[in-house]
Amino acid sequence: MQVLNLTPVARQGGGSVKIVATFDIELSNEVRLYGLRLLEATDGKRFAYAAQAGNRRSATFSRSLSEAITAAASFELEAATANDLSQSAA
């Protein structure tokens, strides 16, 4: 599994769940998903949400796969924002 093209979101929205990043993911050599969102609840818990086609999700994930996707995207987000913070501090 590899996170591709993760982009932190500057305008996160004003609801109880905020969008913190968008990303694509390669689940295997045969499967890639595009336009996923990494969301964060007010308690700090994050979760991945599949892209939508109209008002329906285009994919759903088992709990274990969702947790793995969320962990991978969170790791990439932390790496991306830590890099941004270290450059702005210099």
Side-chain angles (χ1 to χ4, degrees):
M1 178 183 309
Q2 181 178 1
V3 173
L4 310 168
N5 304 320
L6 183 129
T7 304
V9 172
R11 296 182 131 192
Q12 299 177 344
S16 60
V17 177
K18 300 186 183 312
I19 302 171
V20 294
T22 59
F23 63 100
D24 305 329
I25 195 158
E26 183 177 76
L27 295 176
S28 69
N29 289 334
E30 292 88 16
V31 179
R32 287 185 181 173
L33 297 172
Y34 299 93
L36 284 80
R37 293 172 285 164
L38 183 62
L39 306 173
E40 186 173 278
T42 54
D43 64 0
K45 183 173 179 160
R46 291 182 179 161
F47 54 97
Y49 200 87
Q52 289 188 213
N55 62 353
R56 297 181 65 185
R57 280 184 275 179
S58 59
T60 59
F61 312 114
S62 68
R63 174 176 238 140
S64 61
L65 181 56
S66 179
E67 289 171 351
I69 291 170
T70 299
S74 291
F75 178 83
E76 292 297 324
L77 177 64
E78 298 304 324
T81 55
N83 188 36
D84 289 346
L85 291 174
S86 66
Q87 288 181 0
S88 65

